[in-house]
Amino acid sequence: MAKAFEQPIYVTRPLLPNIEAVTERMKKVWDSKQLTNFGAQHNELSDRLKDYLDVDHISMFSNGTMALLLGLRALELTGEVITTPFTFPATVQALDWNNLTPVFCDIDPVTFNIDADKIEALITEKTSAILGVHVFGNPCDVEKIQKIADKHNLKVIYDGAHVFGAKVNGIPISHFGDMTMFSFHATKLFNTVEGGALTYHDAALDKRLQLLRNFGIVNTEEVALSGLNAKMNEIQASVGLEVLKVLEEERNKRHTIKRAYEENLAAIEGIRVLTTLEDESSSYQYFVIDIDQEKFGQSRDVVYEELQKHNVFARKYFSPLCSDFEWYSGLASAQPVNLPIAHKAVQQVLAMPYYGELPIESVVQICAILQELHVTQESLFQL
Ligand code: T4K
């Protein structure tokens, strides 16, 4: 029998930089007495990220949600935005807070991303944009989405909360679409405790986003528009600068952990790994499996509960579907009959513990629990 863990194993643990290095940086911040409002740490991190992500334009924010919310605002979208129901609530809440109506599009059965083949049928005269999410680090069908957007004169925004640093066929992911949002939350591979950024190609957005994240203030005499407070502060930026130094090491560790999971899961029927990308194509953000109840012999929910009994806290990201939020119940596109793949996926998906400090023996033990839960057709026959 696979043993329960003595200490809880969580879906993730933050990547913590060297505390002495962070303290050194804090001393600089203390000496400067500039704690926020675009100080030296903020500007240094902004430059470093521009290089790391290989982009021309970046604006950093207090968190990913504010980045997306203000990014949508900066693009001056109106009416309807076609998006996925299979995402974290923040994606659609950013639409809500811009008075934009989400139009839910079903997802691809393999990647669980918005199904590009189903977008065009949802376009109306009110549609202003497509908001895709690179779910769990798997890129959307960026080429197909761009073709549709060009044909119908729509903007394309990507929620890239899960794809920090990833490339698509060697091209940095934020080169696709008009704008990409990244989250730097503590649970993300690259973190600034809380934080986020937008990358984009249009230089004019620099100024507009600067105003939007800082109360619309132009200078001490002038306020140009109704903005918000969504600035990344110096403490956040300091942590980020030190996290950048340990990022490569963490990616390597996660690569090894991913391989260990894959080896130990390979023989278990009914489990499909969703996050198969590696090296420069991968953000190494999540390790996610899809459990086919018929083949595995148990439902995802049983697996989730049994893991908890063993002190393993995997997560059912992203349940519930955003289309099931009560305030969308009147939307035609939110009706389950229009989203069959998303409704199936959300019953099957499980994000497994995944972070550099997770020992390989723990991965082996978690997979042994799954192996024990697996009910083969033969054993059913014997019953
Ligand atoms: N779009 C997408 C597609 C997203 O996934 C997200 C965020 C966003 C937009 C919005 O970006 P932000 O505004 O957050 O920058 C977590 C994160 O809070 C959230 O950032 C993330 N997605 C989401 C997928 O995961 P929860 O509710 O699962 O967090 P929580 O507190 O349950 O943490 C998960 C586990 O991580 C805990 O069981 C233990 C561990 N943990 C967590 C924290 C916060 C730690 O060990 N230390 C910590 O400090 O949402």
Side-chain angles (χ1 to χ4, degrees), residues 152-184:
H152 297 273
N153 196 23
L154 304 176
K155 295 273 188 228
V156 178
I157 305 103
Y158 286 111
D159 176 333
H162 304 170
V163 282
F164 183 82
K167 294 185 174 170
V168 183
N169 299 325
I171 302 168
I173 198 146
S174 43
H175 285 219
F176 301 97
D178 294 283
M179 185 179 264
T180 301
M181 177 276 271
F182 294 98
S183 164
F184 305 154

Side-chain angles (χ1 to χ4, degrees), residues 112 290-292 321 339-349:
F112 291 4
D290 174 18
I291 301 169
D292 179 332
L321 289 177
L339 305 165
I341 311 287
H343 277 270
K344 188 163 185 272
V346 80
Q347 297 298 321
Q348 301 197 167
V349 72

Side-chain angles (χ1 to χ4, degrees), residues 51-86:
D51 287 346
Y52 191 91
L53 296 171
D54 190 8
V55 291
D56 293 331
H57 299 282
I58 188 167
S59 292
M60 301 196 301
F61 294 83
S62 49
N63 58 61
T65 306
M66 290 306 284
L68 186 58
L69 195 155
L70 294 177
L72 296 169
R73 178 89 167 190
L75 292 172
E76 299 180 309
L77 304 179
T78 55
E80 297 174 354
V81 174
I82 298 173
T83 193
T84 172
F86 188 70

Side-chain angles (χ1 to χ4, degrees), residues 12-14 64-65 88 159 161-162 183 185 187-188 286 315 317:
T12 194
R13 301 259 77 181
T65 306
F88 195 64
D159 176 333
H162 304 170
S183 164
H185 183 261
T187 54
K188 298 296 185 295
Y286 291 105
R315 292 292 289 265
Y317 293 135

Side-chain angles (χ1 to χ4, degrees), residues 72-113:
L72 296 169
R73 178 89 167 190
L75 292 172
E76 299 180 309
L77 304 179
T78 55
E80 297 174 354
V81 174
I82 298 173
T83 193
T84 172
F86 188 70
T87 183
F88 195 64
T91 314
V92 293
Q93 287 167 350
L95 293 172
D96 291 345
W97 280 78
N98 277 291
N99 289 324
L100 294 164
T101 306
V103 173
F104 292 107
C105 178
D106 207 1
I107 62 172
D108 177 277
V110 178
T111 62
F112 291 4
N113 285 327

